[in-house]
Amino acid sequence: MNPSKPDNNTKPVKAISGLGDIREKISELDDQLLHLLGQRREFSRKVAKQKQFMDKPLRDQTRERELLESLVKKASQSGLDSHYVTRLFNTIIEDSIQFQQDYVQSINNPDLKNNVGKSLAVLGGKGAYSYLAAKKYFSNSDNTYLACGSFEKVLNSVQSGKVDYGVIPIENTTSGGITEVYDLLLESNLTIIGEEKYAVKHCLIGSKGSQLKNISCIAAHPEASRQCSKHLKKLVSANISLVQSTAHALELVAKQKTPTIAAIASEEAARLFGLEVLKSNITNQTENITRFLVLARSPIKVSLSVQCKTSIALSTGQKPGSLAEVLSLFRDADIPLSKLESRPIPNKPWEQMFYIDLEGNISDKNVENTLESLSRLCLFLRVLGSYPTEDISATQVSPQSLAKAKLDTLDRQNDRPAEKQPGDQSRLSQTLQKPRKSYHLTSREHKPEDTLIEVKGTKIGGDNFTVLAGPCAVESLSQIMSCAKHANETGVAILRGGCFKPRTSPYSFQGLGFEGLDFIQQAGEKYSMPIITEVMNTEDVKAIAKQADMLQIGARNMQNFSLLKAVGQINRPVMLKRGLMASLEELLNAAEYILTQGNMQVFLCERGIRTFETATRNTLDLSAVPLLKQMTHLPIIVDPSHAVGKRELVIPMAKAAKAVGAHGLMIEFHPNPEEALSDGPQALRYAQFAELMSDLYHS
Ligand code: PEP
Ligand code: MN
């Protein structure tokens, strides 16, 4: 600092009026600084406008470093120290980038951030950390808030359209990932459109006039209490009462008659509730930051010029080294990962769902190509969202350059090699991109190796020959138990049984629905067999997937696109049956609908098509098997039962299917075909089925 020399002869009175003048001058300078900062922002906006048309990243750290170095050099001439100047300008640069990002994003998504009158769902109401984080994220908005009692309610409120957005915590620097939220996120169809990092500074809050020594009970959210555990023990000997949310804790304190209850909440929350901070900063760790996600029903467009993060969820099965393969894809593509979290998959013991945050934009070709390569390695892959990142790390001026800047008066701007821009990579990969056909992920070109489907140790695809068998429909507990026993004793790998039946006539037996599903689930458990059943309604997909190991899309629904999308969003293998009048290309396009949603565990089923021939129920197109094996990496099985419709013909056609290279069969049998509630004429008798199985595996 270099203040002007004080006048030693000035009298005190004069000194005061002199001080006033100086202060006035300082205020004038501050006004000018503000004005200049405003002008600087205006230029920032112009830069953003230029850069977005060029798809150039807004962030140019080479330029930032040069700017800082030159400022540091000039600063020493004005008597300002380099640390002060670097800190000051890092703040200005950060503001500028944030401003530019917001500007570009508001142009790309006019409906989003700066809009007024949006509705938001958050955990807990006014004063809860989710509420405060949401307020920070939607800073310019006049929004309404829906206070929810659980994370699930937050997600459901967005999903159902009750509110526009949800704000939900995902991880904390003290307590780590909030695992429940990961599971809920995957179960929902919501997408991440933003993130907010909120520095959680817990305080002990009491009502007006209350004193720390009188506090006998502390109301707190479990997470908040965990984060303050050490401090609380030292501070006061009060009982901790765990409550649903921080907002609830605050309400308890606000409503109390005798001031003996305190809450753990932020200073801002205390202000909102008219309460008092009894002790500030009671968090165990000084840096206690929670990362919140902003969720919406549809994705946003993130400009390539904006710093972006993409969150994905994937599962690879239990192949040794598969995670290493996944990670090396990102390394080879030079895509940094900022997070890797794993969660167990329900009903798949010891299998993990991995959650990855990568630094990159889904619209960037390099990221897109990497995700495409990734899809070859994954059983499940879903992009949870691509959104502007909150991390605007300060550009560092190295000690060497600081020292050099002091001495070196030469402008070295032109000598420095240009840093690699993300845009360069994307253009390179763009030129390598192959033209696509109507189906892509399904094609052999995309994935030359066979897809192998695995469920509870049973495999479909590759060199395996797998038989799925059981009755057409689940008719009663005793019927499906008897079928499961027979299936198990004859070497069947997967038990089938329809619970929701697609029947031509509305007067025919429609299936036992969820009651039937309970029965077949019990049968599968008793005989340790995975089960497969048909799903007909989009709304039932999740519930059926909770009980069945595999889902079947019937021939009549092969082109029910919303149903295909819904099964594409769950992590269960799907058998897609060829439609009654569908070409192979249409079948593969239908499978593509499932794969594009993230579910790669699809196998196909040839079950006969309609021709002019009426001697058989349908015409079994066996040439489809070798043809499909050329066209796709997905396994293909044959259902001779629905193809021919007559039990005597099922046996030779089943053998023929094996001969032409099918990966397996689906066959219907029944303990008493004459009494069957559906498809009796094509159901094999127990003895016939046992003989067929023996022939299939011993010839
Ligand atoms: C079935 O397998 O139960 C069935 C109804 O078959 P498809 O959809 O092939 O007619
Ligand atoms: Mn049937």
Side-chain angles (χ1 to χ4, degrees):
M1 284 297 179
N2 191 15
S4 47
K5 268 189 196 161
D7 184 350
N8 290 336
N9 300 327
T10 20
K11 290 189 183 113
V13 181
K14 245 189 143 185
I16 289 168
S17 78
L19 190 62
D21 286 350
I22 296 167
R23 282 184 174 157
E24 215 168 276
K25 278 267 177 274
I26 288 179
S27 300
E28 255 172 49
L29 285 173
D30 286 345
D31 287 349
Q32 280 176 31
L33 281 174
L34 277 181
H35 182 68
L36 289 171
L37 286 172
Q39 278 188 331
R40 197 183 189 286
R41 261 201 179 179
E42 195 42 40
F43 281 110
S44 275
R45 199 178 62 81
K46 287 188 177 145
V47 171
K49 214 169 170 181
Q50 292 271 328
K51 282 192 182 170
Q52 76 145 348
F53 289 127
M54 295 187 285
D55 261 350
K56 257 179 101 124
L58 292 171
R59 194 95 204 253
D60 181 349
Q61 284 190 298
T62 311
R63 151 102 183 122
E64 284 174 26
R65 206 169 298 124
E66 284 166 0
L67 179 76
L68 285 174
E69 280 173 9
S70 125
L71 286 166
V72 161
K73 202 158 64 186
K74 286 178 195 155
S76 66
Q77 287 155 17
S78 318
L80 297 168
D81 68 77
S82 56
H83 176 66
Y84 169 67
V85 170
T86 312
R87 230 179 36 183
L88 185 65
F89 275 87
N90 266 328
T91 310
I92 293 174
I93 290 169
E94 187 187 321
D95 170 78
S96 170
I97 293 160
Q98 193 67 62
F99 174 75
Q100 290 187 349
Q101 288 197 359
D102 288 353
Y103 168 78
V104 171
Q105 281 307 98
S106 68
I107 288 177
N108 276 311
N109 306 275
D111 202 32
L112 187 66
K113 207 172 169 182
N114 299 320
N115 246 358
V116 287
K118 291 288 176 194
S119 50
L120 305 166
V122 291
L123 182 72
K126 205 169 100 175
Y129 285 104
S130 295
Y131 169 88
L132 298 173
K135 267 199 119 60
K136 192 173 159 223
Y137 181 84
F138 292 92
S139 52
N140 302 334
S141 312
D142 172 21
N143 294 319
T144 51
Y145 288 82
L146 176 71
C148 298
S150 68
F151 290 140
E152 198 172 359
K153 287 208 176 104
V154 173
L155 274 87
N156 286 345
S157 310
V158 188
Q159 190 91 67
S160 65
K162 200 166 168 189
V163 295
D164 299 310
Y165 306 113
V167 176
I168 199 152
I170 187 81
E171 59 178 318
N172 174 270
T173 49
T174 314
S175 38
I178 302 169
T179 48
E180 185 193 348
V181 174
Y182 281 103
D183 295 342
L184 288 170
L185 199 56
L186 198 63
E187 240 184 60
S188 80
N189 295 330
L190 300 178
T191 171
I192 309 170
I193 60 155
E195 64 172 4
E196 183 66 55
K197 289 192 176 142
Y198 191 86
V200 173
K201 290 196 178 112
H202 294 304
C203 304
L204 205 57
I205 313 280
S207 50
K208 281 236 151 67
S210 62
Q211 286 184 321
L212 197 55
K213 61 175 186 338
N214 297 332
I215 299 300
S216 58
C217 175
I218 297 172
H221 183 267
E223 204 63 45
S225 140
R226 220 179 346 260
Q227 290 168 14
C228 302
S229 55
K230 287 187 203 151
H231 236 91
L232 279 181
K233 260 187 234 149
K234 281 187 252 158
L235 206 64
V236 56
S237 62
N239 293 325
I240 310 275
S241 160
L242 298 179
V243 291
Q244 219 178 33
S245 79
T246 298
H248 276 87
L250 289 159
E251 273 160 27
L252 273 176
V253 176
K255 279 189 199 143
Q256 70 176 325
K257 298 272 183 303
T258 46
T260 52
I261 309 174
I264 301 180
S266 69
E267 204 177 319
E268 212 172 331
R271 224 175 299 127
L272 280 171
F273 277 76
L275 300 172
E276 242 166 48
V277 174
L278 303 181
K279 181 84 188 164
S280 54
N281 281 337
I282 57 163
T283 324
N284 297 346
Q285 272 185 28
T286 39
E287 286 263 6
N288 184 38
I289 302 166
T290 300
R291 183 170 159 248
F292 291 85
L293 297 177
V294 184
L295 305 175
R297 283 182 295 282
S298 42
I300 50 159
K301 283 187 235 134
V302 186
S303 159
L304 283 175
S305 55
V306 165
Q307 225 171 298
C308 182
K309 195 185 259 187
T310 297
S311 297
I312 58 173
L314 61 90
S315 80
T316 57
Q318 286 165 309
K319 250 193 348 215
S322 52
L323 182 62
E325 272 184 82
V326 166
L327 297 179
S328 60
L329 271 183
F330 290 109
R331 181 199 55 203
D332 296 347
D334 207 8
I335 298 173
L337 304 183
S338 53
K339 186 161 184 67
L340 173 65
E341 183 94 28
S342 76
R343 292 280 303 139
I345 300 176
N347 291 334
K348 288 193 168 184
W350 317 120
E351 274 194 45
Q352 304 291 322
M353 182 66 77
F354 295 104
Y355 293 86
I356 294 179
D357 284 351
L358 55 97
E359 288 174 30
N361 190 327
I362 184 81
S363 334
D364 177 283
K365 280 284 175 288
N366 185 37
V367 174
E368 197 189 318
N369 288 341
T370 309
L371 292 185
E372 199 191 304
S373 308
L374 198 58
S375 68
R376 287 181 211 123
L377 303 175
C378 293
L379 297 178
F380 184 87
L381 172 64
R382 164 114 61 94
V383 174
L384 300 171
S386 225
Y387 47 96
T389 170
E390 263 266 288
D391 304 313
I392 300 173
S393 53
T395 296
Q396 300 294 329
V397 181
S398 68
Q400 292 95 316
S401 13
L402 276 174
K404 217 168 173 195
K406 282 216 158 181
L407 301 172
D408 192 358
T409 48
L410 293 170
D411 182 3
R412 295 163 296 127
Q413 201 168 341
N414 297 327
D415 300 339
R416 196 162 296 120
E419 222 170 63
K420 198 164 73 177
Q421 299 294 324
D424 298 340
Q425 274 180 331
S426 66
R427 271 191 294 278
L428 177 70
S429 46
Q430 208 168 15
T431 52
L432 295 175
Q433 196 108 35
K434 293 188 201 100
R436 296 182 172 198
K437 28 177 156 173
S438 60
Y439 59 92
H440 173 69
L441 296 174
T442 320
S443 71
R444 270 278 180 216
E445 289 83 16
H446 167 68
K447 188 183 171 198
E449 324 76 64
D450 281 354
T451 282
L452 199 62
I453 287 165
E454 261 192 84
V455 60
K456 292 186 174 160
T458 297
K459 294 188 177 82
I460 300 175
D463 297 332
N464 302 282
F465 186 76
T466 315
V467 177
L468 299 80
C472 177
V474 178
E475 297 170 0
S476 65
L477 182 60
S478 62
Q479 175 246 19
I480 192 68
M481 279 294 181
S482 158
C483 289
K485 183 169 185 289
H486 191 59
N488 186 251
E489 286 167 359
T490 48
V492 168
I494 296 160
L495 179 67
R496 71 146 280 154
C499 304
F500 300 88
K501 295 302 301 172
R503 304 304 302 276
T504 305
S505 163
Y507 303 110
S508 303
F509 173 60
Q510 304 285 307
L512 295 181
F514 283 102
E515 190 191 13
L517 189 54
D518 288 342
F519 294 161
I520 189 172
Q521 190 185 15
Q522 287 177 43
E525 265 164 30
K526 176 154 187 200
Y527 293 97
S528 305
M529 294 174 85
I531 57 167
I532 183 166
T533 199
E534 178 164 353
V535 51
M536 295 208 300
N537 284 316
T538 309
E539 307 81 64
D540 294 340
V541 168
K542 280 186 187 157
I544 296 179
K546 283 211 167 88
Q547 292 184 260
D549 302 287
M550 294 182 161
L551 299 183
Q552 169 174 334
I553 300 288
R556 288 152 196 84
N557 272 317
M558 189 202 85
Q559 282 188 320
N560 181 340
F561 300 116
S562 43
L563 185 61
L564 295 175
K565 283 189 196 164
V567 296
Q569 285 163 5
I570 52 146
N571 187 20
R572 285 272 176 278
V574 174
M575 181 178 82
L576 177 64
K577 296 189 95 174
R578 181 177 180 181
L580 278 67
M581 302 279 280
S583 69
L584 296 185
E585 200 165 306
E586 284 163 340
L587 173 61
L588 293 178
N589 274 293
E592 187 84 6
Y593 268 90
I594 306 176
L595 268 63
T596 49
Q597 297 298 310
N599 189 352
M600 309 292 162
Q601 308 156 84
V602 174
F603 61 107
L604 309 170
C605 178
E606 161 60 40
R607 45 77 72 204
I609 45 173
R610 269 223 174 136
T611 66
F612 58 83
E613 182 55 75
T614 52
T616 47
R617 185 174 173 179
N618 291 289
T619 301
L620 183 58
D621 178 11
L622 279 181
S623 57
V625 175
L627 252 172
L628 281 169
K629 284 174 105 178
Q630 287 176 8
M631 296 162 90
T632 179
H633 50 87
L634 299 175
I636 162 87
I637 68 156
V638 169
D639 167 1
S641 304
H642 291 90
V644 294
K646 293 178 178 165
R647 82 175 61 87
E648 289 71 32
L649 298 179
V650 170
I651 296 168
M653 295 321 279
K655 292 177 183 169
K658 191 182 180 206
V660 295
H663 292 111
L665 293 168
M666 173 174 262
I667 293 174
E668 287 183 355
F669 64 75
H670 196 280
N672 184 2
E674 281 68 30
E675 300 288 310
L677 297 180
S678 63
D679 286 351
Q682 71 196 35
L684 295 188
R685 301 182 195 286
Y686 275 12
Q688 279 178 310
F689 182 71
E691 198 180 326
L692 171 63
M693 286 298 280
S694 157
D695 285 354
L696 286 171
Y697 284 104
H698 295 107
S699 56

